[in-house]
Amino acid sequence: MKRNLITILAVLLAVMSILLSACGPAATKAPAPAETEAPAATEAPAPAETEAPAAGENVIKIGGLYPTTGDLAKLGQENVNG
């Protein structure tokens, strides 16, 4: 009986905190920082040249996260290879 009461109180507390946080004021944006001296310019590396897609051609990029080190590196390499 005591365990049920504690569970009900915990659930009630969680529901009430969610409801009360939803009724809070909207977040405001932080003021813009004052302008300061710009840092010294550094030279960016030259981008690698690639072929641009033909006009009107759609480009779809697909990414994936695979393990490349450790015990599962073999599975990750199989995924990279296709």
Side-chain angles (χ1 to χ4, degrees):
M1 179 70 179
K2 189 174 183 179
R3 184 174 179 175
N4 286 340
L5 180 63
I6 292 173
T7 303
I8 290 172
L9 288 175
V11 169
L12 183 62
L13 178 67
V15 169
M16 291 301 292
S17 65
I18 291 171
L19 289 175
L20 290 175
S21 66
C23 295
T28 58
K29 290 186 177 180
E35 289 188 32
T36 59
E37 221 176 277
T42 57
E43 197 171 304
E49 293 188 26
T50 58
E51 293 181 23
E57 184 179 335
N58 292 333
V59 176
I60 300 174
K61 293 184 178 183
I62 300 175
L65 297 174
Y66 307 113
T68 55
T69 60
D71 295 336
L72 299 176
K74 180 180 178 185
L75 297 175
Q77 190 59 42
E78 289 174 357
N79 287 322
V80 170
N81 293 339

